[in-house]
Amino acid sequence: MQIPFSLAEEPDQITAEKGRKLFAGESEFVKGVVAMSGLPEADRMEVCFAGRSNVGKSSLINALTGTKGLARASNTPGRTQEINFFTQGPDLYLVDLPGYGYANAPLAVVEKWQKLLKRYLSGRQTLRRAFVLIDSRHGVKDVDEEIMSLLDSSAVTFQCVMTKADKVKAKDREKVIEQVRTALSRHPAAYPEIVLTSSEKGDGIATLRSIITGLE
């Protein structure tokens, strides 16, 4: 019997090579978007990445693309409330959503960001999947539940990617995985598979590349 929200398995050699080829193309920062009118043309598949601040989102994007410092722009002052677009070769956009969980952000700023995010998620026809990043050291928090509920209401399939898996002992990691599974079971838009990653060690990167390649 398969465990609900089982851990994604490593791809076979052929599938892994397809993923490698997709991410072997050049990666470039395109633009930061603060309004729907600023979105680049929807002329290719895209996937987006969401996660609370300090979850390791930029590190994951850099590891996927093999381009050190590519996603650094999204962490500089002034970009925290932008939707950042990166090209991955000619056929894919990687979309870095603003880090959420900024307790000190003004309410008006938070409301503006949430409105933009909901419009983007609901109206972007080329968006194939959202990846929600969860820190393996902490599990799902209330702010994560909020973004998952937003994805539910936007009818966007999302997949959980657990980051920094190398920072947690195996026995402690299993407890967190169970907590994440329980949380995901409450969300109808959740894809029933979890990806365990470490950007530092490279664990799970080939798996995630293959998953993205399979969405084409």
Side-chain angles (χ1 to χ4, degrees), residues 4-68:
F5 298 103
S6 58
L7 297 181
E9 296 182 357
E10 291 187 12
D12 59 41
Q13 189 173 354
I14 294 174
T15 307
E17 179 61 13
K18 288 181 180 178
R20 187 198 67 78
K21 284 184 177 179
L22 176 64
F23 282 88
E26 189 175 1
S27 309
E28 291 185 349
F29 173 70
V30 180
K31 65 189 303 189
V33 175
V34 295
M36 290 293 288
S37 58
L39 291 177
E41 187 178 352
D43 59 357
R44 67 195 74 188
M45 180 182 86
E46 59 193 66
V47 295
C48 68
F49 299 85
R52 62 179 181 269
S53 53
N54 301 318
V55 75
K57 187 152 49 71
S58 295
S59 295
L60 182 71
I61 292 173
N62 292 339
L64 279 171
T65 61
T67 308
K68 188 175 181 180

Side-chain angles (χ1 to χ4, degrees), residues 5 140 145 148 178-187 190:
F5 298 103
V140 175
E145 291 280 3
M148 291 176 188
E178 284 307 313
Q179 186 260 0
V180 171
R181 282 176 174 146
T182 299
L184 291 175
S185 68
R186 297 191 288 266
H187 295 278

Side-chain angles (χ1 to χ4, degrees), residues 51-178:
R52 62 179 181 269
S53 53
N54 301 318
V55 75
K57 187 152 49 71
S58 295
S59 295
L60 182 71
I61 292 173
N62 292 339
L64 279 171
T65 61
T67 308
K68 188 175 181 180
L70 175 70
R72 187 180 302 163
S74 63
N75 284 340
T76 58
R79 290 193 183 274
T80 55
Q81 300 303 319
E82 295 182 355
I83 298 176
N84 291 287
F85 281 78
F86 302 89
T87 55
Q88 177 53 56
D91 302 317
L92 175 65
Y93 276 133
L94 303 177
V95 185
D96 184 7
L97 301 180
Y100 51 86
Y102 291 98
N104 297 324
L107 183 60
V109 171
V110 174
E111 288 179 346
K112 181 181 178 182
W113 172 78
Q114 288 177 337
K115 184 177 180 180
L116 171 63
L117 182 57
K118 189 163 188 177
R119 290 183 66 190
Y120 165 72
L121 292 172
S122 300
R124 194 69 168 173
Q125 297 298 318
T126 47
L127 178 61
R128 293 289 185 270
R129 184 167 299 176
F131 293 98
V132 176
L133 278 54
I134 301 295
D135 194 319
S136 295
R137 299 170 298 180
H138 307 303
V140 175
K141 301 291 187 182
D142 288 345
V143 287
D144 299 313
E145 291 280 3
E146 290 177 14
I147 193 73
M148 291 176 188
S149 295
L150 180 57
L151 289 160
D152 288 338
S153 64
S154 302
V156 175
T157 299
F158 70 87
Q159 187 163 5
C160 174
V161 176
M162 295 182 65
T163 62
K164 306 182 183 182
D166 60 307
K167 307 295 185 185
V168 186
K169 293 180 180 178
K171 62 185 178 84
D172 296 325
R173 188 168 60 232
E174 285 303 316
K175 292 178 183 177
V176 177
I177 290 172
E178 284 307 313

